[in-house]
Amino acid sequence: MRRWTTVARSSTGFVAGLTAAAVLTVGFLAYQAHATVPRNLSGRPGPMATHAAGASKAPRDQRRPTALPGGSGTGERVVYSLDDDRVWLVGADGTVQNTFKVSPGNVDPAPGTYAVASRSKAITGTDGVPVEHVVRFTTTGGVVIGFSAAVDGSWPTSDPAIRTGGIRESRADGETMWMFATIGQKVVVIR
């Protein structure tokens, strides 16, 4: 009888040790996952995120409405105009490599400078539509903001019950954005 009591006590200690190790491992992994979330997707401003409070509209060339607006930053970058629903892909030398119209969701990012935080080749958008070439750069009010192209070529729905930060592009423009906007690429949002 004495031998079984000793075995039961040692088994209990062994199980308690395994449980403690499992709890520590899960805690460590949770901390590690939280610590490695890109700052722009965790609700906290990232190292490049700057917001211009009360930013005025960037100057436009009235004769060339698709020209890159002045005051849209420097160097290689994606420029996204909230008012014009247009994107410019700008090379390191400041020349526009491409520009195209987009159709935003109903949640806009604040004007400012961000960095591409994550990308997905293909997912389902918040409106239930399969999308590809997803390039995310920030969150606003818990809604992820990024560029994508609907596989079926559709544009976002205007259903106010669905909060979406997807900025839709054509499939061809989505592929161009995908090639240009890699992780860390600067994204400048202007009015």
Side-chain angles (χ1 to χ4, degrees):
M1 187 80 160
R2 192 169 183 71
R3 196 168 38 149
W4 291 107
T5 305
T6 305
V7 170
R9 281 189 199 145
S10 65
S11 294
T12 303
F14 179 72
V15 170
L18 282 177
T19 302
V23 168
L24 287 173
T25 301
V26 169
F28 172 74
L29 291 173
Y31 167 77
Q32 194 175 31
H34 176 73
T36 59
V37 170
R39 293 179 68 81
N40 286 354
L41 295 180
S42 67
R44 301 172 298 195
M48 275 188 96
T50 59
H51 303 287
S56 62
K57 185 171 177 162
R60 303 298 200 268
D61 183 335
Q62 298 303 319
R63 293 171 298 172
R64 298 178 334 175
T66 62
L68 180 67
S72 62
T74 59
E76 187 176 86
R77 65 199 182 279
V78 174
V79 177
Y80 169 47
S81 170
L82 298 169
D83 291 346
D84 297 329
D85 293 334
R86 178 168 289 280
V87 167
W88 293 264
L89 305 180
V90 183
D93 62 356
T95 60
V96 175
Q97 295 180 0
N98 203 331
T99 183
F100 46 88
K101 292 291 277 180
V102 294
S103 182
N106 55 16
V107 178
D108 286 332
T113 302
Y114 304 89
V116 172
S118 70
R119 298 169 12 125
S120 295
K121 185 71 174 158
I123 62 168
T124 299
T126 53
D127 58 0
V129 175
V131 294
E132 62 186 1
H133 299 124
V134 181
V135 175
R136 301 174 199 91
F137 61 92
T138 192
T139 60
T140 299
V143 176
V144 177
I145 309 291
F147 303 102
S148 64
V151 174
D152 67 4
S154 67
W155 297 99
T157 63
S158 59
D159 183 352
I162 301 173
R163 292 175 32 102
T164 178
I167 304 161
R168 291 271 168 85
E169 317 156 300
S170 72
R171 291 186 78 187
D173 293 336
E175 187 171 351
T176 301
M177 175 70 79
W178 180 259
M179 300 302 290
F180 185 86
T182 57
I183 298 293
Q185 178 65 58
K186 184 169 34 172
V187 178
V188 179
V189 178
I190 60 173
R191 284 265 162 232

